[in-house]
Amino acid sequence: MSAEETSPNNNPYTSFQAGVTATLRTWSALKTAVDQSWGGTDSTAKAEDLRRNIFVHFDGQSPNPKMTLYELEDNLGAYMEEEFGVVLEDESEREVADLIWRMYECCAKGDCTLANQVVMNAIQAEEQLKGSGVKSVIKNGHDDDDDDNDDDEDDDDAMNDNEDSMNSSTTTPNNEAATIPTTTTSSSALEYSSGYLFGGPPKPKKELPPPRQLGEAEPEKPIPEIDDDGFAMVVTKKKGARR
């Protein structure tokens, strides 16, 4: 599955990356954690880091990934708990890990059927979500924000109604969505996998002043002014005069 052994127009690893993207996008626990910002303001970036870490250990350079199935399960569960504060009581990390593992095994043999099917199921689920009028948090990273301004409570109720169908269509490829074509071009798989998982690009972190270099003198702290009563005077910012 090495990129050196396949042409850009027929790369099973690209299909695997698209399959992983589809799996994470339709993982209810991750999607909800990002949508509700359970990981703080960096929730979107944390989801991207999770996908990036998976690609590091499943890099397509060898038929054997750099971690076992059980290690993948443990790492998914630990990541959700440490980064988003989510304890997966439904053990969904096992289903996600098993699907990622099977996709990698198949793509390593040149069989992209499962990965392509997972992508198609995810696309169908997303289209159904759009058809129901529910606001989607999934974008390809290039489109403008044209989502409807629906009421948040109505969105949450409708999303709950669609979660079961999305999960079943993603983690069980041999279901009613099997009527969808199971082949995709490498270019479409590349486009799908290169899009952001949820929303637009992660928000840039605030720039901090450069750290003090080793051996550099510590900057002098301002000396507080003491009033006649012996109290330190507090310097306040002057506000503009009201008009």
Side-chain angles (χ1 to χ4, degrees):
M1 195 164 57
S2 172
E4 298 178 356
E5 301 173 359
T6 56
S7 64
N9 296 326
N10 184 25
N11 191 343
Y13 185 64
T14 301
S15 297
F16 167 75
Q17 289 180 311
V20 171
T21 299
T23 301
L24 295 180
R25 279 182 175 177
T26 50
W27 186 9
S28 179
L30 178 61
K31 181 164 63 65
T32 303
V34 174
D35 190 26
Q36 300 298 325
S37 298
W38 289 345
T41 57
D42 295 333
S43 294
T44 301
K46 289 179 179 180
E48 295 292 343
D49 287 340
L50 175 60
R51 178 173 60 168
R52 191 178 302 110
N53 290 335
I54 292 175
F55 291 160
V56 168
H57 292 87
F58 295 75
D59 57 8
Q61 299 300 318
S62 170
N64 301 317
K66 298 178 180 179
M67 65 168 51
T68 66
L69 173 60
Y70 301 107
E71 288 174 338
L72 179 58
E73 292 178 3
D74 292 341
N75 278 275
L76 289 175
Y79 193 89
M80 291 297 296
E81 183 173 357
E82 294 172 3
E83 300 298 335
F84 296 100
V86 177
V87 179
L88 300 172
E89 296 180 355
D90 61 351
E91 299 184 344
S92 58
E93 75 277 11
R94 293 187 177 184
E95 298 178 4
V96 173
D98 179 70
L99 183 57
I100 292 175
W101 186 272
R102 287 189 290 121
M103 286 191 297
Y104 191 83
E105 279 187 331
C106 293
C107 289
K109 299 175 183 178
D111 182 6
C112 304
T113 303
L114 176 58
N116 293 340
Q117 182 68 67
V118 170
V119 173
M120 290 297 177
N121 291 346
I123 292 175
Q124 184 194 46
E126 176 63 13
E127 291 299 324
Q128 292 176 350
L129 195 64
K130 291 180 180 178
S132 65
V134 178
K135 181 180 178 181
S136 173
V137 296
I138 301 175
K139 299 177 185 177
N140 60 11
H142 304 287
D143 297 337
D144 293 331
D145 186 9
D146 57 355
D147 294 325
D148 297 332
N149 294 324
D150 296 331
D151 185 79
D152 292 338
E153 293 181 0
D154 294 337
D155 290 349
D156 293 339
D157 293 338
M159 182 173 291
N160 291 333
D161 293 337
N162 286 275
E163 282 182 359
D164 294 337
S165 61
M166 290 178 65
N167 290 336
S168 61
S169 64
T170 304
T171 57
T172 54
N174 296 324
N175 58 10
E176 59 184 6
T179 56
I180 303 176
T182 58
T183 57
T184 58
T185 62
S186 181
S187 58
S188 62
L190 179 61
E191 181 180 1
Y192 186 85
S193 62
S194 62
Y196 298 111
L197 275 177
F198 305 104
K203 296 180 181 179
K205 297 181 179 180
K206 295 182 179 180
E207 295 185 1
L208 300 176
R212 183 163 56 93
Q213 300 297 320
L214 185 64
E216 182 180 355
E218 184 177 358
E220 296 182 0
K221 297 181 180 180
I223 301 176
E225 297 182 11
I226 307 299
D227 60 14
D228 297 337
D229 296 328
F231 294 98
M233 300 179 62
V234 179
V235 179
T236 58
K237 295 182 179 180
K238 296 182 179 180
K239 297 183 179 179
R242 295 183 180 179
R243 295 180 179 179

